[in-house]
Amino acid sequence: MKRVLFIGERLFMKYGELEYFSERLKAVGAQAVSTREMTDKELLEAAYDAAAVVSIAGRVSREFLEAAKNLEFVMTLSVGYDCVDLEAATEMGIPVSNCPTYCTDDVSNHAMTLLLAVSRKLH
């Protein structure tokens, strides 16, 4: 069974116990693995047989990528992917993906709200 590691404290703030992902991964014969309580050493050990990594601001370093001998894919659940060592991932042939349209509506709504607040001197 393929294992998908979930890393980054912000991810656990949003998705808690990973139920959303666990159900979907189970349907395709994969297992969600929480790294919430893992030390750096335990994380590197868990990386060894991981097929994929999903991250929100969890650092995916060269050291991590080198430890992950079976890694096929890295996904960031954010607009950016600055938490991933792209140079190392590229050298190793590991695809990296992001969510380029994540919360764009929320950001634009917030920007317009701030604009109106300042123009009406609501501060």
Side-chain angles (χ1 to χ4, degrees):
M1 178 177 285
K2 292 191 176 192
R3 299 173 72 234
V4 178
L5 295 185
F6 288 81
I7 63 174
E9 281 305 310
R10 285 184 46 212
L11 187 140
F12 300 109
M13 289 173 17
K14 184 168 180 124
Y15 294 104
E17 298 302 315
L18 304 177
E19 301 91 3
Y20 175 84
F21 299 105
S22 295
E23 293 171 19
R24 284 153 183 80
L25 287 170
K26 194 179 292 182
V28 295
Q31 174 188 15
V33 178
S34 171
T35 62
R36 185 178 220 166
E37 303 291 325
M38 289 186 183
T39 65
D40 289 342
K41 182 181 178 188
E42 291 170 331
L43 181 61
L44 289 177
E45 290 170 1
Y48 180 77
D49 63 348
V53 173
V54 177
S55 171
I56 296 181
R59 186 81 184 115
V60 182
S61 64
R62 177 178 291 276
E63 181 182 24
F64 179 91
L65 293 169
E66 289 171 349
K69 300 298 182 194
N70 298 310
L71 195 62
E72 300 171 21
F73 184 67
V74 175
M75 175 75 187
T76 65
L77 297 179
S78 57
V79 174
Y81 40 81
D82 53 328
C83 60
V84 179
D85 186 332
L86 290 178
E87 184 178 324
T90 301
E91 287 172 15
M92 295 173 199
I94 301 169
V96 176
S97 181
N98 66 338
C99 297
T101 59
Y102 177 75
C103 76
T104 52
D105 290 341
D106 295 326
V107 171
S108 62
N109 288 342
H110 187 67
M112 291 306 296
T113 301
L114 291 174
L115 179 69
L116 290 170
V118 168
S119 72
R120 300 290 183 189
K121 298 179 174 59
L122 296 178
H123 55 297

